[in-house]
Amino acid sequence: MERIASFTVDHDNLLRGIYVSRRDSLGDKWLTTFDIRMKEPNREPVLDVPLLHTIEHLGATWLRNNSNWGGEVVYFGPMGCRTGCYLILKGDLESREIVQLIKEMFTFIANYSYPIPGASPSECGNHLSHDLPMAALEAKKFLIEILTNPTPENLEYPG
Ligand SMILES: [Zn+2]
């Protein structure tokens, strides 16, 4: 099988940030997939499953309720490698266009207090696996260390 494009990016050199992973055309429309990379691949501990699950619930809820971008959101969810999340938006977009959106989303997560949306047994497939305090801590860390003042290296993958 052919190696898919996202595996050809050299993960040894990736930093934390907001990156365009791919753009796909759908008829005359475009979808942009972003890597919201919260941990440097293979160089620091990854995000624990429960906190990542909580980030998924809070992030997806906040994004879909956002008055400007809510209608553009196709998907938000965790990366299997647990270094961050994927965000798929309608449109042909650049990372810098969503810095403010992502900053606001992580500010929401960093300051959130219970209840976690969609976290009852009837709404979620693993409702016991959540960690709001750690989700808030990791959101705050990503905000302070990266999103407050992102450099070009935090917004574009090395060509
Ligand atoms: Zn869930």
Side-chain angles (χ1 to χ4, degrees), residues 134-149:
M134 282 303 293
L137 189 148
E138 290 288 1
K140 192 175 177 187
K141 183 175 161 66
F142 189 47
L143 266 175
I144 291 169
E145 295 177 7
I146 303 295
L147 295 179
T148 302
N149 193 16

Side-chain angles (χ1 to χ4, degrees), residues 24 26 29-34 59-60 62-76 86-93 97-98 101-102:
D24 294 283
L26 211 68
K29 303 271 196 273
W30 286 89
L31 296 179
T32 304
T33 301
F34 292 97
W62 186 85
L63 286 163
R64 292 186 189 282
N65 280 285
N66 184 273
S67 52
N68 295 320
W69 286 92
E72 310 302 305
V73 177
V74 176
Y75 174 78
F76 176 75
Y86 296 116
L87 171 61
I88 306 177
L89 295 172
K90 294 176 195 169
D92 179 359
L93 301 166
E97 296 177 79
I98 65 158
L101 177 76
I102 300 304

Side-chain angles (χ1 to χ4, degrees), residues 28 32 54 61 70 74 96 103 109 114 118 120 127 139 153-154:
D28 60 346
T32 304
T54 301
T61 301
V74 176
R96 58 181 167 71
K103 226 191 260 186
I109 296 169
Y114 292 102
S120 69
H127 81 287
E153 290 73 32
N154 302 123

